[in-house]
Amino acid sequence: MFTDIAITPMYVTDQDQALEFYTQQLGFAVDTDVDLGNMRWLTVALPASPERRVLLQRIGDATATASSETAGALRELTEQGTTSW
């Protein structure tokens, strides 16, 4: 039985822009930022709730999608109504 969710993924097209938005506009702090070669594991958390993290997952990273078609669809949905990421 689940009692909590620690990491919530958010698909983004540009991790650096998303990081800037989450940290400078929303007040999140970087929890983890690791280059794994085929992807970048980037999580942020609110200082008041460091146990709950948001994974800023780039669309198209090796673990994010099963195919380039799916990645394209996710990218299109993510970009609707945004100007940058």
Side-chain angles (χ1 to χ4, degrees), residues 32 40 57 59-60 63-64 77:
T32 307
R40 177 181 178 192
Q57 187 166 4
I59 296 171
T63 59
L77 287 171

Side-chain angles (χ1 to χ4, degrees), residues 10 12 17-30 44-49 54 56 85:
M10 294 296 292
V12 299
Q17 286 183 356
L19 179 61
E20 182 179 322
F21 176 75
Y22 273 80
T23 56
Q24 295 181 14
Q25 300 296 319
L26 300 180
F28 283 73
V30 174
V44 294
L46 288 170
S49 298
V54 175
L56 302 176
W85 57 273

Side-chain angles (χ1 to χ4, degrees), residues 2-85:
F2 291 106
T3 59
D4 197 11
I5 295 176
I7 299 175
T8 303
M10 294 296 292
Y11 290 113
V12 299
T13 55
D14 185 309
Q15 287 177 307
D16 290 325
Q17 286 183 356
L19 179 61
E20 182 179 322
F21 176 75
Y22 273 80
T23 56
Q24 295 181 14
Q25 300 296 319
L26 300 180
F28 283 73
V30 174
D31 177 70
T32 307
D33 190 353
V34 179
D35 183 354
L36 299 173
N38 62 340
M39 69 172 287
R40 177 181 178 192
W41 184 264
L42 176 59
T43 61
V44 294
L46 288 170
S49 298
E51 70 282 356
R52 293 191 174 159
R53 296 172 296 282
V54 175
L55 170 63
L56 302 176
Q57 187 166 4
R58 190 177 64 84
I59 296 171
D61 278 349
T63 59
T65 59
S67 71
S68 60
E69 184 177 309
T70 304
L74 274 172
R75 186 174 293 108
E76 184 177 321
L77 287 171
T78 303
E79 290 176 346
Q80 285 181 358
T82 67
T83 58
S84 56
W85 57 273

